[in-house]
Amino acid sequence: GAVVSQHPSWVICKSGTSVKIECRSLDFQATTMFWYRQFPKQSLMLMATSNEGSKATYEQGVEKDKFLINHASLTLSTLTVTSAHPEDSSFYICSARSGLAGHNEQFFGPGTRLTVL
Amino acid sequence: GENVEQHPSTLSVQEGDSAVIKCTYSDSASNYFPWYKQELGKRPQLIIDIRSNVGEKKDQRIAVTLNKTAKHFSLHITETQPEDSAVYFCAANLIQGAQKLVFGQGTRLTINP
């Protein structure tokens, strides 16, 4: 159980285009999903917290108009990188957590490697 | 807010020996402390976690200890094997709001055959 999928696993795009990444919880309902960014040999940097049916909460320094997050259902959250630039190239990982009381565990998706040319 | 410090940043041990990774946290209200293992290019995988109402938890070769007074927790891996080589992250939760996790900087563990 507790499987999280992410699509695509990798994407290459041209500068100025937008890229959408999907995160799905396959066997549980995720009331909260988190989006992280990870640079090579570095830790996970939280970008935003996504709650089903409400607006995402962004971490300080993360542009909400640049990184659009939608959590339309209890099993799906999407991250859209708008007008991507080479500095947006990174490994983007989502995680999902159920809303059950006492269940703090976050389960991670396999990540999406974004390369902006 | 919460701050999590993790040491060492790199650790190399001989196969069969034990490895210990330590983390400290700043927010005494934190009550959930997971450890993740991440292999190169792959997702972080939860390997063990501990809640603040216990001091130690063990799962086969892996154990975690928690000292709430000192605000530190440690990961212990015994009888290390080559497949234990990976980057390990500790984390602590923020009680307020969505209970986000704050991650340590990571430890690159290498098991030498």
Side-chain angles (χ1 to χ4, degrees), chain B residues 12-112:
Chain B
S12 183
V13 301
Q14 287 298 119
E15 182 177 355
D17 289 349
S18 296
V20 180
I21 303 171
K22 299 181 179 182
C23 288
T24 60
Y25 61 100
S26 59
D27 188 352
S28 57
S30 294
N31 62 4
Y32 175 66
F33 308 91
W35 285 89
Y36 287 88
K37 175 183 179 182
Q38 187 179 28
E39 297 179 13
L40 187 62
K42 297 190 176 180
R43 77 183 82 195
Q45 289 193 308
L46 179 67
I47 55 172
I48 196 167
D49 57 16
I50 191 167
R51 288 172 170 76
S52 59
N53 57 347
V54 298
E56 185 174 359
K57 183 177 178 181
K58 190 173 182 179
D59 182 3
Q60 299 183 338
R61 297 186 297 109
I62 296 173
V64 56
T65 58
L66 171 66
N67 183 325
K68 287 177 58 180
T69 302
K71 289 188 284 188
H72 67 68
F73 56 112
S74 301
L75 177 71
H76 304 253
I77 306 174
T78 58
E79 301 172 25
T80 54
Q81 302 168 2
E83 52 265 36
D84 294 329
S85 295
V87 178
Y88 291 81
F89 293 99
C90 64
N93 68 332
L94 285 173
I95 291 296
Q96 293 81 14
Q99 296 209 14
K100 302 178 289 188
L101 290 178
V102 178
F103 284 84
Q105 297 85 348
T107 297
R108 182 171 299 278
L109 175 63
T110 302
I111 307 301
N112 302 308

Side-chain angles (χ1 to χ4, degrees), chain A residues 31-80:
Chain A
T31 56
T32 306
M33 288 185 173
F34 302 88
W35 286 96
Y36 295 86
R37 186 173 179 176
Q38 187 177 36
F39 291 107
K41 297 187 179 182
Q42 293 191 22
S43 188
L44 297 151
M45 185 189 79
L46 180 65
M47 300 174 65
T49 302
S50 167
N51 290 296
E52 185 266 336
S54 63
K55 289 184 179 180
T57 303
Y58 289 82
E59 294 299 300
Q60 192 172 11
V62 178
E63 299 176 57
K64 62 179 182 180
D65 295 330
K66 170 91 176 159
F67 299 99
L68 301 178
I69 292 172
N70 184 276
H71 193 157
S73 77
L74 286 172
T75 59
L76 173 64
S77 177
T78 61
L79 167 68
T80 301

